[in-house]
Amino acid sequence: MRFFVSKRRVALSLGLLIAVPGLGACGPTGADDRPSSSDRPAVLRVPGQFKSIQKAVDSARSGDMVLVSPGVYRESVTIRSPRIVLRGTERSTVVVDGEFKRTNGITVTGAASVVENLTVRNNLANGLLFTGVTDETLQGAGAGGGMEYDPLDTAKFPALRGFRASYVTAYNNALYGIYAFDARDGVIEHSYGSGQSDSGIYVGQCKPCNTVVRNNLTEHNAVGIEVTNASEDLYFLGNTIRRNRVGMTVLSNNLEALGPQHDAVFAGNTISDNNDDRSPEQAEGGFGIGIGISGGTHNRFERNRLEGNRAGAFVLRDEQGYPVLGNRIEDNAVDEGQLGLAVLAARTGGNCYTDNGRAPTSPDPLPRALTSCSARDTALATPGSARPLDRIPPGTSFREVAPPPAQPGMRDAVHAPVRPALHLPGAVDPASYVLPKPRD
């Protein structure tokens, strides 16, 4: 079973037409001039002072905040300047709408910039993209998942340094909801993704990533959270990943630079019921998997809860010449109603699976090399198989996934302090993320 999503195949299967981003917001119009009474950071208001979000962003100086009032803003927004904070006054009613004709909803290439407390929807590639790829002709392809895919030159396009997405809702986008590609020193938190044809949240092509993805909810996507060639100082903590076709994928491949993927930590997450036939279908047809580790190496999975994933809680396989190596899967709560571990790899070694409950495994019994995390045995494991499903249901179009309910927003968004994405992610303590409670 192939559980990863091929970006090239997804894009081709969607038949994307990359459109020139359009502008124009619903709501009253006003002056286009930026307030300039002092050199102190300013608050630029949309639509009170500016006709569109993009006009306000273009007028903003480093350290300013663009504050957007409720409305549907039919435009694409690009933040090129550093340390800009783009904030909605109300998360669910400040909406950047691609109308199924624009490529990306919001693209951020300005270092230490922030997007928070708003909704982005209905784009032909991504809802929110953070990237060091500053060439706009490539943002729809290499960094945006368009008609072709290019690993891109990490020397020519150094990683974006500093980013944050907080309280962002992204839904019904053709590829990714929130996408960090060639970006580091960031945080994605308290955000939501549904109805994406690829993944709700994606972190790719960074080393060291120095990034935390925490306390997010993803559902009704092809994949809840995807990690590709993203390595070192990378943490996924306290997320809820439920009712997708596949919960999470941790991948190495040749479609991006910086392979193989290695050394990420996954703790305190809930990965449940990832068998959703109301979500968009993947190009590769994966379904029913909690966490798929495809060529990922030397990662830690601990204190996660996995329930109701019909094909298997953990599935290990090699990918594109990258063997799945050295992953430590320990002290997770794996419900007995699912296959706990399926090893599909022929060249795996150094992985361990222990103290995860009594769910069955494949092979059964597991080779001794897999059953102790105290020794890093490099012996090869005998391949098993994933649990066969009677039927893999067809998916639906990303355009047809039901809109999500309103999600909790920032407290006092109008007056909350302006915080650019500096010195992130700060101190990270995976041990503070305990095993989540069972579902009701």
Side-chain angles (χ1 to χ4, degrees):
M1 177 186 297
R2 296 176 64 83
F3 52 75
F4 73 91
V5 176
S6 165
K7 300 164 190 64
R8 185 188 306 272
R9 293 191 183 185
V10 170
L12 291 174
S13 68
L14 290 170
L16 300 185
L17 298 177
I18 304 303
V20 177
L23 296 176
C26 290
T29 60
D32 292 342
D33 295 331
R34 179 194 185 279
S36 57
S37 58
S38 74
D39 292 332
R40 288 164 37 174
V43 176
L44 287 68
R45 298 179 184 272
V46 181
Q49 294 169 296
F50 294 86
K51 295 179 180 179
S52 70
I53 299 172
Q54 187 65 60
K55 288 181 180 295
V57 165
D58 289 343
S59 295
R61 298 172 184 168
S62 181
D64 287 350
M65 178 171 71
V66 174
L67 185 65
V68 186
S69 293
V72 177
Y73 297 85
R74 296 180 173 90
E75 58 178 310
S76 290
V77 178
T78 300
I79 301 174
R80 301 177 181 87
S81 298
R83 293 189 290 123
I84 302 299
V85 174
L86 172 59
R87 178 188 297 172
T89 60
E90 295 183 10
R91 176 176 179 175
S92 295
T93 58
V94 175
V95 180
V96 179
D97 187 358
E99 302 181 284
F100 300 118
K101 64 183 182 182
R102 300 183 184 92
T103 307
N104 298 322
I106 301 172
T107 302
V108 180
T109 60
S113 289
V114 170
V115 178
E116 58 190 8
N117 209 49
L118 52 73
T119 294
V120 59
R121 70 185 185 193
N122 301 347
N123 293 282
L124 294 181
N126 310 293
L128 169 58
L129 167 64
F130 295 101
T131 186
V133 180
T134 54
D135 185 340
E136 294 185 7
T137 65
L138 297 175
Q139 288 171 354
M147 294 299 292
E148 295 295 332
Y149 199 85
D150 185 343
L152 301 177
D153 184 342
T154 55
K156 182 178 180 180
F157 298 109
L160 173 71
R161 297 295 297 269
F163 66 92
R164 178 166 59 83
S166 302
Y167 299 97
V168 171
T169 295
Y171 72 92
N172 295 43
N173 298 289
L175 287 172
Y176 309 118
I178 300 174
Y179 185 18
F181 176 90
D182 192 32
R184 54 167 294 183
D185 306 335
V187 170
I188 300 172
E189 62 183 2
H190 305 299
S191 291
Y192 174 92
S194 71
Q196 271 69 232
S197 291
D198 198 316
S199 53
I201 296 174
Y202 184 106
V203 179
Q205 191 170 298
C206 53
K207 186 176 76 173
C209 296
N210 196 34
T211 291
V212 175
V213 179
R214 62 193 178 200
N215 304 323
N216 302 287
L217 170 60
T218 61
E219 58 185 354
H220 311 308
N221 305 281
V223 180
I225 293 180
E226 187 171 356
V227 186
T228 303
N229 291 10
S231 306
E232 300 178 10
D233 299 324
L234 176 60
Y235 303 88
F236 295 83
L237 306 174
N239 301 287
T240 298
I241 306 163
R242 68 188 186 195
R243 296 194 294 267
N244 304 281
R245 294 182 76 83
V246 173
M248 175 181 288
T249 56
V250 184
L251 313 177
S252 300
N253 67 35
N254 293 317
L255 295 175
E256 296 185 6
L258 305 180
Q261 184 280 332
H262 63 93
D263 290 291
V265 177
F266 305 80
N269 302 288
T270 299
I271 301 100
S272 62
D273 301 315
N274 290 289
N275 322 285
D276 181 26
D277 58 4
R278 296 172 296 168
S279 57
E281 186 174 9
Q282 294 174 281
E284 298 293 348
F287 188 81
I289 295 170
I291 300 177
I293 309 170
S294 184
T297 64
H298 302 291
N299 301 292
R300 286 167 41 203
F301 300 85
E302 56 196 26
R303 299 184 306 282
N304 302 288
R305 182 171 295 279
L306 293 96
E307 300 174 310
N309 305 290
R310 285 166 29 204
F314 290 92
V315 178
L316 275 62
R317 60 167 294 145
D318 303 328
E319 186 58 47
Q320 294 186 9
Y322 293 106
V324 55
L325 299 171
N327 295 285
R328 186 183 184 108
I329 305 170
E330 184 177 25
D331 295 326
N332 301 282
V334 180
D335 179 71
E336 293 182 39
Q338 63 196 327
L339 186 67
L341 172 70
V343 181
L344 310 184
R347 296 189 294 141
T348 183
N351 302 289
C352 68
Y353 181 86
T354 186
D355 296 326
N356 298 300
R358 295 183 295 178
T361 63
S362 181
D364 185 13
L366 290 175
R368 182 175 299 177
L370 275 169
T371 58
S372 174
C373 288
S374 60
R376 308 309 292 148
D377 194 326
T378 59
L380 302 186
T382 303
S385 61
R387 177 170 290 175
L389 300 177
D390 293 336
R391 184 180 71 91
I392 296 179
T396 186
S397 167
F398 75 99
R399 299 169 183 248
E400 298 174 359
V401 177
Q407 302 297 312
M410 290 179 62
R411 296 182 59 184
D412 195 16
V414 174
H415 303 105
V418 178
R419 296 186 298 117
L422 300 169
H423 313 298
L424 292 182
V428 180
D429 181 14
S432 67
Y433 283 81
V434 299
L435 184 70
K437 295 180 179 179
R439 63 189 171 191
D440 295 332

